[in-house]
Amino acid sequence: MYKYMKEQEKYVKDQLNNKNCNYIWLKEYFKVQIQFISHERLIHLIVTLFFSLLLLASIIISFIFPSILLYWLTIILLILVLFYILHYYRLENGIQSWYLIYNEIEEKLHE
């Protein structure tokens, strides 16, 4: 997903630098791309929260019923949640930069 975002960002920036660009079309195109990524971001937020709750439950159960298997489950869930948080962080920062590019397109339209 992150690779896709970088490719789309490069494409839109190249179009912005093109003198013969149709800014109306570019604005609509990029708006749809932002909607796709926003949907993806929402899904990843839900998944991240779900696995975080599983991690929390695993930690609590590990304290109540100490077991090496529960400790391993907790470690695995912790690693998984950390990777989900990293992925969500990249999505969030990517979409924030896309908002700035979208504003740039708006400015070009009103010049």
Side-chain angles (χ1 to χ4, degrees):
M1 183 55 58
Y2 192 68
K3 181 182 174 187
Y4 174 79
M5 288 180 71
K6 287 297 175 190
E7 289 171 358
Q8 290 300 313
E9 186 172 330
K10 182 182 180 320
Y11 173 75
V12 171
K13 283 183 177 181
D14 288 346
Q15 291 298 314
L16 273 174
N17 293 331
N18 184 358
K19 298 289 183 194
N20 299 326
C21 179
N22 181 351
Y23 295 116
I24 297 171
W25 174 84
L26 186 62
K27 177 185 169 187
E28 289 305 313
Y29 172 80
F30 201 52
K31 187 176 184 180
V32 169
Q33 297 304 313
I34 289 173
Q35 290 171 345
F36 287 157
I37 297 301
S38 293
H39 180 263
E40 186 77 19
R41 189 175 67 171
L42 175 63
I43 297 301
H44 279 284
L45 175 62
I46 293 168
V47 170
T48 301
L49 290 174
F50 176 73
F51 276 98
S52 297
L53 288 174
L54 283 178
L55 174 63
L56 183 61
S58 174
I59 291 170
I60 291 170
I61 292 170
S62 293
F63 280 126
I64 296 172
F65 304 106
S67 164
I68 192 73
L69 290 176
L70 286 174
Y71 295 148
W72 278 109
L73 175 65
T74 302
I75 291 170
I76 290 169
L77 285 172
L78 176 64
I79 292 168
L80 192 60
V81 166
L82 289 175
F83 277 107
Y84 268 120
I85 289 172
L86 176 66
H87 181 67
Y88 185 76
Y89 174 80
R90 293 171 89 182
L91 281 176
E92 186 67 33
N93 284 343
I95 201 72
Q96 298 275 332
S97 70
W98 279 22
Y99 292 152
L100 297 175
I101 296 170
Y102 186 82
N103 290 342
E104 228 180 287
I105 297 169
E106 283 283 333
E107 288 174 12
K108 295 275 188 177
L109 271 173
H110 298 298
E111 284 183 350

